[in-house]
Amino acid sequence: MFRLHILKAFGKKKIVDITPLECQDCLNDWSSRYKNNKQLKSYTSQIFEFAINMNMIHDNPMSRLIMPKTCINRTYNFWTVKELEQFLAIVQQSEPFYHYVMFRLLAYSGMRKGELYALTWNDIDFNENIISITKILAHLNNHPIKKATKKQFSIRKITMDLETMIVLKDWKHQQLKQLSQLECVPLDTENYYCFTYVNQKNQVMPLHADYINNILKKIIQNYRLRKISPHGFRHTHATLLNEIGSDSVNMAN
């Protein structure tokens, strides 16, 4: 902070010649460009206080400054319906099909990333278009562990739209077909994870903790989209329901 900001502003000046007006102009500039302007002011003020203690100056010009009001560029962690549609169209055209299914499911269900990872096919009722959320998938020393949901009231049943359920059912058939080619079809397919990946040892594994983060980050960077996190899809879900005029939200806090 000294090298890049404080010394850049005052390093070539004699401390006795620095005026409050110069300090105020500098603080105004910092506040317009940096979030840590208060820390910059505090560190600079300490130099003047040291100079007072050394009898080099009699007054701290930083002590009389007015902190300027800053306009913070707030980043909202959700997409509008239009932004979501653009993202899903990109994923559908450029990514594997199950990536599209995952992100659509996150946005249209409001479930958490860990809840998505933990989904098994017996959690999904295709007849009633209902998904049951009862668990999350955590990782300990890179080993997946099923555990209870974040809070007891997070256990819930989500009524899904028909199009998402059709897409999800299509993925179920594709997944079984892919597994059969790998000669690793599970005996109990209904208790099998909905989303998996094949590691370097040709083993089918549940998704690791950063899987969705990495895919999302790559797509956002490649297509210069507004940045959100995987958790932002929960907020996007609420925005989605609000924009289409729904009175009910299929998610727990």
Side-chain angles (χ1 to χ4, degrees):
M1 292 179 70
F2 274 93
R3 179 175 58 85
L4 295 177
H5 306 300
I6 298 173
L7 291 178
K8 185 176 181 181
F10 299 113
K12 294 182 180 180
K13 298 179 181 291
K14 291 185 177 181
I15 200 164
V16 295
D17 295 332
I18 299 174
T19 66
L21 181 59
E22 287 179 298
C23 293
Q24 184 70 63
D25 288 341
C26 186
L27 182 61
N28 292 345
D29 179 58
W30 287 340
S31 298
S32 68
R33 293 190 290 164
Y34 311 117
K35 294 181 180 179
N36 56 352
N37 53 78
K38 290 184 179 180
Q39 196 171 6
L40 286 166
K41 177 179 179 293
S42 175
Y43 285 170
T44 307
S45 181
Q46 289 179 43
I47 300 300
F48 287 106
E49 289 297 327
F50 179 78
I52 291 173
N53 293 335
M54 296 295 103
N55 293 322
M56 299 177 67
I57 57 176
H58 301 290
D59 185 47
N60 182 350
M62 299 294 291
S63 64
R64 298 194 299 273
L65 302 188
I66 299 173
M67 287 299 300
K69 294 181 178 180
T70 56
C71 296
I72 301 175
N73 294 324
R74 194 181 301 276
T75 301
Y76 295 96
N77 192 25
F78 66 87
W79 279 330
T80 63
V81 172
K82 185 176 181 180
E83 289 173 317
L84 176 63
E85 289 175 346
Q86 179 189 11
F87 171 78
L88 290 177
I90 290 171
V91 177
Q92 193 171 22
Q93 294 172 9
S94 62
E95 293 289 319
F97 179 63
Y98 74 100
H99 287 177
Y100 170 73
V101 181
M102 285 192 303
F103 286 116
R104 182 183 177 92
L105 196 54
L106 283 176
Y108 280 76
S109 71
M111 69 177 67
R112 299 178 179 87
K113 179 180 70 172
E115 295 169 342
L116 176 80
Y117 288 172
L119 274 185
T120 53
W121 291 114
N122 57 12
D123 292 323
I124 301 172
D125 185 339
F126 287 103
N127 294 322
E128 300 295 331
N129 294 336
I130 290 176
I131 296 178
S132 297
I133 304 297
T134 60
K135 56 191 177 299
I136 63 173
L137 190 71
H139 290 78
L140 180 64
N141 298 326
N142 294 323
H143 294 291
I145 301 174
K146 286 183 184 180
K147 56 189 293 188
T149 54
K150 183 179 179 183
K151 298 176 182 178
Q152 183 63 29
F153 58 77
S154 293
I155 297 175
R156 61 203 187 277
K157 293 182 182 293
I158 304 175
T159 301
M160 296 299 301
D161 64 287
L162 180 59
E163 185 176 350
T164 299
M165 295 301 287
I166 292 173
V167 168
L168 191 55
K169 194 170 188 177
D170 190 9
W171 165 239
K172 181 180 181 181
H173 294 316
Q174 289 193 31
Q175 184 194 55
L176 290 176
K177 184 177 180 180
Q178 292 175 9
L179 291 174
S180 65
Q181 294 173 349
L182 293 171
E183 297 182 351
C184 54
V185 179
L187 297 176
D188 183 8
T189 57
E190 291 305 305
N191 197 38
Y192 201 66
Y193 289 111
C194 297
F195 300 102
T196 56
Y197 77 102
V198 180
N199 64 16
Q200 295 180 345
K201 297 180 180 179
N202 211 34
Q203 298 171 323
V204 180
M205 304 289 294
L207 299 180
H208 58 77
D210 292 328
Y211 188 90
I212 285 180
N213 301 63
N214 295 337
I215 300 300
L216 180 61
K217 181 179 179 181
K218 180 195 71 173
I219 297 171
I220 287 175
Q221 288 179 344
N222 289 347
Y223 293 89
R224 298 181 180 180
L225 304 177
R226 186 163 63 83
K227 183 179 179 181
I228 69 169
S229 70
H231 192 75
F233 283 86
R234 275 176 63 77
H235 304 303
T236 300
H237 173 68
T239 303
L240 180 67
L241 293 181
N242 182 60
E243 291 198 25
I244 64 176
S246 174
D247 294 327
S248 61
V249 178
N250 295 324
M251 62 189 221
N253 292 325

